[in-house]
Amino acid sequence: MPEERSDKLIREKIEGLDTLPAGFRLQSNEDWLAIEQKLRPASRKGFGWWYAAAAVLLIVASTFLWNNTTLQPPVLQRVTVKQSKVPAKQVVPATNSEKTAAGGTSLKIVLKNTGGPAATNELPVIDTPSHNMAAIEESVTTAPALNNTPSIITVTSQAPIKKRLKIIHVNELGNEPEIIYTRGPLKKNQLAEDNNDDLQPLQGPRSWWQTKPKTVTTVTLSDNN
Amino acid sequence: MELSQLLKECRKHSVTAQKYLYDRYAVPFFLVCRRYMRTDEQAEEMMMNGFLKIFNGLLQFEYKNEAAATGWMKKIMVNECLQELRKKNSFLTIAEEEAKEIPVEEEIISSLTAEEIFCVITRLPVGYRTVFNLYVIEGMNHREIAEAMGITEGTSKSQLSKARTLLQQLLIQTNENYAGRKIR
């Protein structure tokens, strides 16, 4: 049949067409990118490993930060007080304290006997933290008095080393110092509120606690009312 | 690279192999889709959907030979276009009328290039174009065409007759333009 021959001819020509005819447009690269994006979730393997690695990293970082930020408790020193002579039974709070060269305080504890005259005895000093003074007093043990003479226990405490922060003047911060205006000397028969015209800048910067002087506006009433 | 090796690599989700397969068949499959769709953009979209189905369906595909593999991929493209056309209800308004069939002359077809015949086919209305493509190019019978398009066999036959008549007129017109350019 003629139709079959013409159909065959058309089919052969159409199937043999490999190039894009004129007037037709194909954005091959863009289309491939769109296909690749849709294929990526299916083709990606081991995607969960990224999440596991990120979680491990987060845990390690948080542990490291936590260790650096926790404060270490102060080291307490155990205090033992030794005395060469037998002190009295009663412990009297120190009336005077001396500051040591290291910045601590030297506390003199006078032990008085109930009946006898007081006497001082120098005892070897043992360093203790200042907050443990109450424990020191409690731990002082007294032996029976031999000659009823009180003894002085000198306890030196070593205060914690204080860090002195560097005092920085506001001018050192780098900002331009503000000019502070002040009033000039008052003229005769002039109220302080009227003296707004003689504002003069201060010589030098203004500190942070100094506020700007307030300008006062005055209303003068005439005598003709 | 042979198609069997290429498809094997694509089955392993090799991006390089997939890109190679795409570059190899992008233009032919675009032309297949363009014969069915109305615009270039629609044809591109159908081509992309078809390639996605090919890549995802390689696990179930059993390779026999290159012709069978190419036919399988081409059928995916055609089905994608038909689904889209049925979704848009493009075939509901096709009227079942008998038309006098005018056979296309072989001399005219022989005198024209493949590009010109392709352009003429794309100018046909959607119903004529689809039936003509499925019957003449894809080699389907009217029963299969009716099932694929959701129409009756009678409608398929009438659409084919009208398609041939219109195609003849357009080819003659194209041939006259071609002949006119040749004489000059």
Side-chain angles (χ1 to χ4, degrees):
Chain A
M1 292 182 71
E3 298 150 358
E4 292 178 359
R5 287 196 293 271
S6 60
D7 290 346
K8 186 180 176 184
L9 202 57
I10 291 173
R11 182 167 54 246
E12 285 175 356
K13 288 209 169 187
I14 293 296
E15 286 179 350
L17 185 61
D18 289 334
T19 57
L20 203 63
F24 294 91
R25 182 181 58 88
L26 172 62
Q27 293 178 338
S28 178
N29 291 332
E30 286 81 2
D31 293 340
W32 168 248
L33 291 174
I35 292 171
E36 193 180 11
Q37 278 186 357
K38 290 182 181 179
L39 283 174
R40 194 176 296 163
S43 61
R44 185 181 290 180
K45 287 186 179 180
F47 185 70
W49 287 108
W50 288 106
Y51 283 113
V56 168
L57 195 67
L58 196 65
I59 291 168
V60 169
S62 60
T63 307
F64 178 76
L65 284 173
W66 183 77
N67 285 336
N68 283 344
T69 54
T70 50
L71 299 173
Q72 292 184 3
V75 177
L76 300 179
Q77 295 179 358
R78 195 168 178 80
V79 176
T80 47
V81 178
K82 296 180 182 176
Q83 55 187 26
S84 57
K85 290 192 177 180
V86 178
K89 291 177 186 176
Q90 185 180 0
V91 175
V92 177
T95 55
N96 54 353
S97 62
E98 298 169 356
K99 285 195 176 178
T100 62
T105 55
S106 173
L107 184 67
K108 284 192 176 178
I109 302 174
V110 177
L111 302 176
K112 281 188 178 177
N113 203 352
T114 51
T120 60
N121 288 324
E122 287 296 329
L123 297 175
V125 175
I126 298 173
D127 289 340
T128 70
S130 59
H131 60 269
N132 226 9
M133 294 305 294
I136 294 169
E137 293 177 1
E138 292 177 4
S139 65
V140 169
T141 55
T142 60
L146 294 177
N147 51 3
N148 291 333
T149 57
S151 59
I152 297 175
I153 301 172
T154 305
V155 177
T156 305
S157 67
Q158 192 173 6
I161 298 170
K162 292 181 183 176
K163 274 189 180 178
R164 298 198 64 179
L165 299 174
K166 183 181 176 183
I167 297 174
I168 301 174
H169 198 271
V170 64
N171 293 333
E172 298 178 12
L173 293 175
N175 298 329
E176 269 186 58
E178 293 185 38
I179 300 174
I180 302 172
Y181 289 85
T182 59
R183 306 174 196 281
L186 286 176
K187 294 178 184 172
K188 190 178 180 181
N189 299 328
Q190 184 182 18
L191 297 173
E193 292 86 8
D194 297 335
N195 191 20
N196 291 331
D197 298 332
D198 295 336
L199 289 178
Q200 299 168 3
L202 257 185
Q203 299 293 329
R206 186 183 71 192
S207 301
W208 60 272
W209 59 86
Q210 291 173 337
T211 57
K212 278 186 183 177
K214 293 180 183 178
T215 57
V216 179
T217 56
T218 58
V219 177
T220 53
L221 301 174
S222 62
D223 296 332
N224 295 329
N225 290 336
Chain B
M1 186 185 288
E2 286 188 4
L3 187 60
S4 60
Q5 185 66 25
L6 192 59
L7 293 178
K8 196 180 286 184
E9 293 296 323
C10 290
R11 203 175 285 128
K12 297 177 186 175
H13 303 289
S14 167
V15 179
T16 308
Q18 289 171 344
K19 179 69 165 60
Y20 193 87
L21 185 72
Y22 172 81
D23 290 335
R24 188 167 165 179
Y25 289 100
V27 172
F29 288 165
F30 171 76
L31 294 175
V32 169
C33 297
R34 189 59 182 89
R35 280 191 282 114
Y36 289 91
M37 304 312 291
R38 194 173 177 177
T39 62
D40 291 343
E41 289 77 19
Q42 291 175 356
E44 277 184 89
E45 190 179 342
M46 295 305 107
M47 181 196 71
M48 286 193 291
N49 293 341
F51 268 109
L52 285 170
K53 283 194 175 178
I54 289 170
F55 292 135
N56 292 329
L58 279 174
L59 290 171
Q60 291 83 24
F61 175 72
E62 191 179 331
Y63 182 86
K64 293 177 183 175
N65 52 53
E66 187 167 336
T70 307
W72 172 73
M73 291 189 288
K74 189 180 171 185
K75 196 168 184 181
I76 288 175
M77 295 291 170
V78 172
N79 287 337
E80 200 65 30
C81 296
L82 288 178
Q83 282 180 13
E84 184 66 18
L85 289 171
R86 287 188 72 171
K87 198 186 297 181
K88 290 183 178 180
N89 299 323
S90 301
F91 306 133
L92 290 179
T93 56
I94 293 176
E96 186 174 338
E97 299 170 1
E98 284 191 12
K100 187 178 179 182
E101 188 168 323
I102 302 173
V104 182
E105 294 182 9
E106 291 180 35
E107 293 175 359
I108 298 174
I109 296 171
S110 301
S111 64
L112 296 173
T113 61
E115 289 84 0
E116 288 168 335
I117 295 173
F118 180 86
C119 293
V120 169
I121 291 173
T122 57
R123 289 167 59 185
L124 294 173
V126 59
Y128 299 177
R129 183 171 72 234
T130 308
V131 172
F132 184 84
N133 279 318
L134 291 173
Y135 187 87
V136 174
I137 313 292
E138 312 305 333
M140 295 168 67
N141 56 33
H142 289 291
R143 186 181 61 81
E144 293 170 340
I145 293 171
E147 190 177 335
M149 291 175 64
I151 56 177
T152 61
E153 284 189 45
T155 304
S156 174
K157 290 177 183 176
S158 68
Q159 291 295 305
L160 181 63
S161 301
K162 292 177 182 178
R164 290 182 196 277
T165 305
L166 186 55
L167 189 69
Q168 173 79 354
Q169 295 172 5
L170 294 173
L171 286 175
I172 292 171
Q173 185 180 4
T174 305
N175 191 33
E176 285 175 353
N177 295 339
Y178 176 76
R181 287 196 302 271
K182 204 175 180 182
I183 290 171
R184 290 174 199 163

